[in-house]
Amino acid sequence: MPTTTTTATTTAPPVTLERVRLGAGGPLSDVRIENGLVTAVYPAAEAPRAPGERLRLDGRTLLPGLWDSHVHMVQWAGVRRRLDLSGARSAREAADAAGKRAAGRPAGELLVGYGFRDGLWPDTPGKGLLDAVTGDRPTLLISADLHCAWLNSAALAAAGHGDHPTGLLREGASMRAVADLTAVSAEVTDRWVREAGAAAAARGVTGIIDFEYADNITDWTRRARTAPPALRVAAGIWLPHLDPAIRRGLRTGQVLDTPGGLLQVGPFKLLSDGSLNTRTALCHDAYPGLAPDAPGAYGLQEVSPPDLVRLLRHASSHGIVPAVHAIGDRACETVLDAFEAVRCHGRVEHGQLLAAKDIPRFAELGVTVGVQPSHAVDDRDVADRHWPGRTHRAYPFADLLRAGAVLELGSDAPVAPLDPWLTIAAAVARTDGAREPWHPEQRIPVADALTGSARGRRLIRAGDPADLVVTDVDPLGADPGTLRRMPVHATMTAGTWTHRTPA
């Protein structure tokens, strides 16, 4: 996806930032901002007097604004209102937690939980287990990777799956059920999204790529016309909305006609396989415990290779950049083969499990890798169990960089929190601090993690869009714990402050 950003129309007053460190490890400087642009950079204390605010920053660090390059924004906005099941160590524990939350709730009110990881559970989720503790209260539990949902009988009936034998929906059926059952009014959804956007701005985020499973261009156009967002949004396009976008002449990177000019057309999102936790990531080797001829032994292929080539060619020929979800090593190989056949630029989302021979191909083919470093921390035990003996090439960020690949970092929120500092720290440390680093040879330097979180921006120069973040600590001198907690002093998008710490 193009990394250039069109400047938004802005009425923000000009400002001069005084005595700010220009980039991680950079010199003390003064920076002038007008009309949504960085218009001049001076040595500290040498900026001429000019109209507007003069903000003394006392040696804080000024960085390019941060992006989260993979978000499901509506899911993330709603997740803070849901039952957290990330700590459940078994299906029984998750069901009991749902039963306690369901007690006393109105019979027809949907209970939603999220964050379970059944790939390590000793028992199997099933609708009977949920029915026993939730009764006739519709209950929907969503896996951490968003590729699986566990429903009780009442929720299955509401989702049109009343005769489902297990209550465990996977992949497309799961995503449709979650979208249908959790739908609230546009007014409520948009309010939640605004709150989530403000929270992201407080962590230094100036833009996101939104891959919500929805008509994102329509939804974000409505939101932007009601209240301009606190950050730039590249609205992803799913297959049902691809041809309508093509008929409108939309192209990836095109800025849409909304107040503030912060909304742009995103890439075309396509799923090629599933996830590792759900055991649907498409791999070259059969999953442990499954016979090679067993159904699903190697994972799930969501789209055939010929159809993949056809869809990539169709989208790219109309100026819409493909972004293909691929997690398993076989899926990644198949997707790279398709990019090679079409000869178009694009993105692979996740690229978690790679064959060594495929690592150089990203750079050779001009395919960006959208990676989520927090997954390497959260899913290390799942990978050790379900991809044993090969985890040295799981989440191989350092190898990809050495091979010349372009990495763009994201969270996959709500799979991980929409907080770029947690993402950066995971890329740098390969641990959340509670355990020893997992495959530390795949750690990457702070400078590269910052670049991957800023869509390739390393410097702040005159003429750049004024998408900026001010931190109290220079990231280059921060330990991983400080990176995770990074104190963000202020955030600016298109020359407008979207977050400022009170004096």
Side-chain angles (χ1 to χ4, degrees):
M1 183 168 178
T3 57
T4 56
T5 303
T6 301
T7 303
T9 303
T10 179
T11 57
V15 59
T16 301
L17 309 180
E18 298 182 326
R19 291 188 57 79
V20 66
R21 201 161 292 284
L22 194 66
L28 283 176
S29 306
D30 294 345
V31 178
R32 179 69 176 171
I33 295 163
E34 299 177 88
N35 299 318
L37 293 174
V38 175
T39 55
V41 176
Y42 306 95
E46 294 188 15
R49 289 286 168 182
E53 180 184 13
R54 298 183 74 89
L55 181 62
R56 190 177 177 91
L57 289 168
D58 299 323
R60 292 181 173 89
T61 300
L62 184 69
L63 301 168
L66 303 178
W67 276 68
D68 189 312
S69 291
H70 194 122
V71 177
H72 304 270
M73 196 60 172
V74 170
Q75 290 294 317
W76 170 243
V79 82
R80 293 179 290 178
R81 296 160 176 84
R82 296 174 178 173
L83 173 64
D84 185 354
L85 298 171
S86 58
R89 295 167 294 181
S90 66
R92 168 58 64 185
E93 264 191 37
D96 287 347
K100 289 178 182 177
R101 178 66 68 91
R105 294 171 70 94
E109 182 178 305
L110 178 70
L111 168 64
V112 183
Y114 79 98
F116 74 81
R117 287 182 167 83
D118 62 323
L120 299 173
W121 285 354
D123 50 357
T124 302
K127 64 180 180 180
L129 186 59
L130 269 187
D131 288 345
V133 294
T134 60
D136 59 359
R137 298 169 184 83
T139 302
L140 166 68
L141 308 182
I142 305 167
S143 68
D145 58 22
L146 304 182
H147 286 256
C148 173
W150 177 15
L151 292 75
N152 70 354
S153 294
L156 286 166
H161 293 279
D163 58 351
H164 196 275
T166 68
L168 205 65
L169 303 181
R170 300 185 187 277
E171 302 305 332
S174 166
M175 294 176 189
R176 287 188 291 272
V178 170
D180 291 344
L181 292 179
T182 61
V184 295
S185 70
E187 181 181 5
V188 170
T189 298
D190 293 352
R191 173 166 54 82
W192 290 355
V193 167
R194 282 195 300 273
E195 293 170 359
R203 299 302 293 145
V205 177
T206 60
I208 62 170
I209 302 178
D210 188 8
F211 287 122
E212 184 67 37
Y213 189 67
D215 184 356
N216 290 308
I217 290 176
T218 297
D219 290 348
W220 274 107
T221 298
R222 179 189 68 247
R223 291 174 195 139
R225 287 176 177 166
T226 302
L231 31 79
R232 297 185 191 271
V233 177
I237 301 169
W238 286 82
L239 182 57
H241 311 290
L242 177 60
D243 283 335
I246 289 172
R247 286 193 293 271
R248 290 177 59 187
L250 300 180
R251 303 173 70 87
T252 297
Q254 176 183 341
V255 176
L256 296 171
D257 183 17
T258 58
L262 296 175
L263 176 61
Q264 61 182 257
V265 179
F268 161 50
K269 178 69 180 295
L270 185 65
L271 297 175
S272 77
D273 70 340
S275 73
L276 187 60
N277 174 75
T278 309
R279 280 83 73 203
T280 50
L282 186 64
C283 299
H284 285 297
D285 298 279
Y287 282 92
L290 294 178
D293 58 350
Y298 298 89
L300 177 68
Q301 187 172 67
E302 288 274 12
V303 58
S304 70
D307 282 345
L308 184 60
V309 168
R310 176 180 59 81
L311 288 168
L312 265 59
R313 182 170 287 123
H314 181 51
S316 63
S317 67
H318 290 90
I320 297 178
V321 173
V324 188
H325 164 115
I327 287 182
D329 53 357
R330 184 172 163 192
C332 291
E333 178 186 73
T334 301
V335 171
L336 288 170
D337 287 347
F339 275 113
E340 186 169 3
V342 176
R343 290 293 174 179
C344 70
H345 293 294
R347 300 172 59 91
V348 166
E349 299 300 325
H350 310 303
Q352 290 179 3
L353 314 175
L354 294 173
K357 68 179 181 60
D358 287 327
I359 288 174
R361 298 179 69 197
F362 291 93
E364 292 166 2
L365 297 172
V367 175
T368 296
V369 198
V371 300
Q372 299 75 42
S374 291
H375 294 1
V377 173
D378 296 337
D379 287 346
R380 58 191 288 178
D381 295 324
V382 171
D384 284 338
R385 174 175 292 189
H386 296 297
W387 219 56
R390 302 181 293 280
T391 54
H392 60 284
R393 46 189 175 89
Y395 313 90
F397 307 141
D399 286 349
L400 284 164
L401 281 179
R402 278 191 291 270
V406 174
L407 268 59
E408 290 193 2
L409 276 56
S411 64
D412 202 10
V415 182
L418 203 175
D419 185 333
W421 298 104
L422 296 177
T423 298
I424 289 166
V428 169
R430 302 281 290 201
T431 176
D432 59 4
R435 305 169 69 177
E436 290 298 310
W438 188 62
H439 288 292
E441 72 277 7
Q442 295 297 345
R443 293 179 293 196
I444 65 175
V446 173
D448 289 317
L450 287 169
T451 301
S453 294
R455 304 189 91 194
R457 287 180 69 188
R458 287 183 177 267
L459 304 173
I460 296 168
R461 299 168 295 193
D464 285 349
D467 297 352
L468 305 165
V469 56
V470 181
T471 60
D472 288 340
V473 177
D474 187 335
L476 285 189
D479 60 37
T482 303
L483 281 175
R484 293 182 200 101
R485 300 184 300 272
M486 177 60 67
V488 174
H489 184 75
T491 308
M492 173 180 282
T493 300
T496 297
W497 295 113
T498 55
H499 164 73
R500 289 180 74 170
T501 301

